[in-house]
Amino acid sequence: MLKAITINDDEAYLRQVSKEVDIKNDNELENDIKILEDFCKENSVMAMAAIQLGIPKRLIYLKNTNLDIIQRMQTNSSTEEDEIYNEARVLINPVIIKREGLTEYWEACASCLDNFGHVLRPYKIELEYEDINGEKYRDTFIGFEATVLSHEFDHLNGVLHMDIAEEVLVMPAEERKIWRQSHDYKIFQEDGDYEELKSKQKIYKK
């Protein structure tokens, strides 16, 4: 079974900047997407950047970002319908156009082992990307979905969540589930410039 590359395996590899995909001439693209899809269906991850699976291309597989379902899974109260839920999309060559608002969440990562980070993210991101046919899209991602996507987008630039976290704890998966019950996803503000809001929040916490 395919495994994600971890910081113990090859941290330098994970920190490289992924290359833009030449959709028309990339003969491996369909297979790359199949690798991402298979991994995400077989593992309890919300999304995956291709670099984490040994594919250094600007490619994200975004899956299952319904926070209610994720919370039920974390508390072992999910239904069979929850388990098979896998609405997904593939984002090729994504570019963030705008970031607004401010949220916080304790993030984990398939590549970062038990490093558990408290990260500030935008509430809303506007993103341009392409599909496998080269069609261009411009969508807005809101709330928890914006957090998940921001995490994966960072991977494309060689940035790990523990690099930008306000605090990092080392905590195994079962303990993280319990921790999140009292440290839930939090929305500070839904609009306003993300960078400015983040700076103010950091000053406020000092």
Side-chain angles (χ1 to χ4, degrees):
M1 185 174 72
L2 184 65
K3 293 184 178 180
I5 297 170
T6 71
I7 53 175
N8 279 0
D9 298 325
D10 194 342
E11 184 172 342
Y13 183 90
L14 290 169
R15 291 189 177 282
Q16 68 179 294
V17 176
S18 296
K19 296 178 181 178
E20 188 167 335
V21 180
D22 182 355
I23 296 174
K24 291 183 178 179
N25 299 305
D26 190 335
N27 297 324
E28 297 297 320
L29 184 55
E30 286 189 21
N31 186 58
D32 293 339
I33 292 172
K34 182 68 165 54
I35 290 171
L36 279 166
E37 182 177 47
D38 288 347
F39 182 90
C40 289
K41 285 183 176 180
E42 292 170 4
N43 296 273
S44 57
V45 296
M46 291 170 272
M48 205 72 179
I51 185 67
Q52 295 175 270
L53 298 179
I55 305 167
K57 299 176 184 178
R58 301 191 78 79
L59 180 63
I60 294 172
Y61 189 90
L62 182 64
K63 160 199 169 185
N64 193 357
T65 53
N66 184 309
L67 187 56
D68 291 336
I69 291 176
I70 292 165
Q71 289 173 333
R72 287 198 292 273
M73 288 180 173
Q74 290 175 344
T75 56
N76 298 317
S77 60
S78 57
T79 65
E80 183 176 343
E81 184 179 358
D82 290 342
E83 297 291 347
I84 64 174
Y85 176 78
N86 189 41
E87 182 180 347
R89 70 176 100 182
V90 176
L91 313 176
I92 303 173
N93 298 328
V95 177
I96 293 178
I97 305 301
K98 190 175 184 180
R99 296 185 291 181
E100 295 182 77
L102 187 69
T103 68
E104 69 175 14
Y105 188 63
W106 280 89
E107 299 182 13
C109 177
S111 292
C112 295
L113 304 174
D114 289 337
N115 289 286
F116 192 41
H118 173 225
V119 186
L120 298 173
R121 299 283 189 189
Y123 172 76
K124 181 192 303 181
I125 59 174
E126 190 173 334
L127 194 84
E128 285 186 351
Y129 63 95
E130 299 172 88
D131 65 15
I132 195 169
N133 298 312
E135 292 292 325
K136 294 187 177 182
Y137 298 85
R138 187 164 180 156
D139 288 339
T140 299
F141 297 82
I142 295 174
F144 189 67
E145 190 171 44
T147 290
V148 173
L149 189 49
S150 295
H151 177 112
E152 301 307 328
F153 186 85
D154 277 352
H155 273 298
L156 302 185
N157 294 321
V159 177
L160 305 178
H161 77 289
M162 57 189 190
D163 298 336
I164 61 171
E166 303 300 297
E167 181 181 2
V168 176
L169 302 176
V170 178
M171 191 179 294
E174 288 305 312
E175 290 183 26
R176 295 199 297 266
K177 290 180 181 180
I178 297 170
W179 178 269
R180 279 178 172 153
Q181 291 176 33
S182 57
H183 298 78
D184 204 358
Y185 172 72
K186 182 176 180 180
I187 301 170
F188 290 111
Q189 192 167 318
E190 296 184 2
D191 56 10
D193 182 76
Y194 162 67
E195 293 293 345
E196 182 178 339
L197 292 169
K198 183 173 66 170
S199 295
K200 287 181 179 179
Q201 181 66 16
K202 287 183 176 183
I203 293 171
Y204 172 76
K205 285 200 169 186
K206 286 183 179 179

